[in-house]
Amino acid sequence: RPEDDNILRKKLWLVIARHVIEQDKSDKGENIRKAIAFRRETDSLLKVEDILPFFPNFVLIDDFKEAIIQSLEEYNAQIEGLRDEMDEITEGTEALRQDIAAAASRVVTVPQGEHCAKCGEPVPQLSENAAVSAAPAPGGLERFYAFPSGHVYKTPCLVDLLVDLSPESTAREIQSLCANIPFLRDRMPSSVEPAPYGQEESCRRLDEILGQEDPYCGDLLVKSVSKPFVTEEERASGEVASWEI
């Protein structure tokens, strides 16, 4: 709409301003006062420098003194606002830098006997200590993934969750990567085409996806609220009918 197009509005105001300034040349001082008053009607869309070209070169600067001072004050306010924004961005950037540095050295302690958040089974560990590091599972991936939320998932369970919650393109990528990893390959549908990578590269790429966020606390779960509780496959298989009383 024209009301929302500031560029078009400014062009129209300039045409009107030129007409107002040039229509009466008998009293240049009065013309200037009209132009300044007219500029205020544009809600600051026009600046003093926008209407200056419409005046003769010999107009005294004193006639524009008030408007120039007002314009400079407006620019100064804008500069102060930008400076405040820059300070906020700088503070936010520094805080983010500190968070990244802290995340790089953060350690999540997994108690002995911790259970998988999805299947409820004990998480495999290599030591009887109260807090141990995960040992790589076959294929180079971790045996389990621990998140700052406190949730711990066995790798196969985390794969199943992400395939279920992720967008279709991401789910297909996860499945194609898993098709190259021996201990996950059997969990994938036979129709899945393996990714064009070796086992080591597939593990690296899958590890990046699995470690992005806790599926029970992140955006994926929030976005899944639009998904139906019962899939078409479950309806077709008679699963829903078995729930009838």
Side-chain angles (χ1 to χ4, degrees):
R1 298 186 308 170
E3 307 89 52
D4 301 326
D5 189 343
N6 285 338
I7 296 178
L8 177 59
R9 289 177 59 217
K10 185 172 183 178
K11 289 181 179 179
L12 293 174
W13 278 117
L14 284 172
V15 172
I16 298 172
R18 184 168 190 166
H19 175 72
V20 169
I21 294 170
E22 294 181 349
Q23 69 176 347
D24 184 7
K25 299 182 180 179
S26 58
D27 187 343
K28 297 181 177 60
E30 181 63 24
N31 255 3
I32 293 173
R33 285 190 290 273
K34 287 182 179 179
I36 299 305
F38 172 80
R39 190 186 70 87
R40 297 193 188 100
E41 296 178 10
T42 66
D43 296 327
S44 299
L45 195 62
L46 294 184
K47 306 297 182 184
V48 173
E49 60 267 29
D50 294 325
I51 60 176
L52 280 178
F54 303 146
F55 289 95
N57 295 332
F58 50 83
V59 173
L60 295 177
I61 193 66
D62 288 346
D63 295 328
F64 288 98
K65 182 177 180 180
E66 180 183 348
I68 291 175
I69 291 174
Q70 181 182 354
S71 182
L72 290 174
E73 290 175 347
E74 291 175 358
Y75 282 130
N76 186 61
Q78 292 176 7
I79 291 172
E80 289 296 329
L82 291 174
R83 185 179 290 112
D84 292 340
E85 290 182 14
M86 290 175 63
D87 290 341
E88 291 178 4
I89 293 173
T90 301
E91 293 174 2
T93 302
E94 181 60 29
L96 181 59
R97 186 180 294 110
Q98 294 175 1
D99 289 343
I100 293 174
S105 58
R106 182 170 53 193
V107 176
V108 177
T109 301
V110 181
Q112 176 67 25
E114 184 69 31
H115 292 74
C116 175
K118 181 179 185 295
C119 68
E121 296 181 359
V123 173
Q125 299 189 27
L126 290 182
S127 171
E128 295 297 324
N129 297 331
V132 296
S133 298
L141 286 176
E142 303 299 328
R143 287 179 178 271
F144 63 87
Y145 284 79
F147 293 91
S149 62
H151 290 147
V152 181
Y153 303 88
K154 295 194 298 185
T155 298
C157 291
L158 184 56
V159 167
D160 292 343
L161 271 175
L162 291 182
V163 167
D164 184 46
L165 295 175
S166 298
E168 185 176 351
S169 59
T170 304
R172 285 200 303 267
E173 181 183 4
I174 293 173
Q175 290 178 326
S176 65
L177 291 171
C178 289
N180 289 332
I181 303 172
F183 82 107
L184 295 174
R185 184 180 300 144
D186 294 340
R187 306 175 70 89
M188 298 300 107
S190 57
S191 58
V192 172
E193 183 176 347
Y197 312 112
Q199 180 176 321
E200 183 177 349
E201 179 64 13
S202 295
C203 287
R204 187 189 68 78
R205 289 174 177 264
L206 183 61
D207 180 65
E208 290 180 355
I209 297 174
L210 297 181
Q212 284 182 356
E213 66 174 74
D214 181 351
Y216 280 165
C217 299
D219 291 339
L220 288 176
L221 191 63
V222 175
K223 294 176 181 178
S224 70
V225 297
S226 60
K227 292 185 177 181
F229 288 108
V230 182
T231 64
E232 293 299 326
E233 290 78 8
E234 289 173 332
R235 291 184 183 279
S237 65
E239 178 74 16
V240 178
S242 67
W243 299 342
E244 295 181 358
I245 300 177

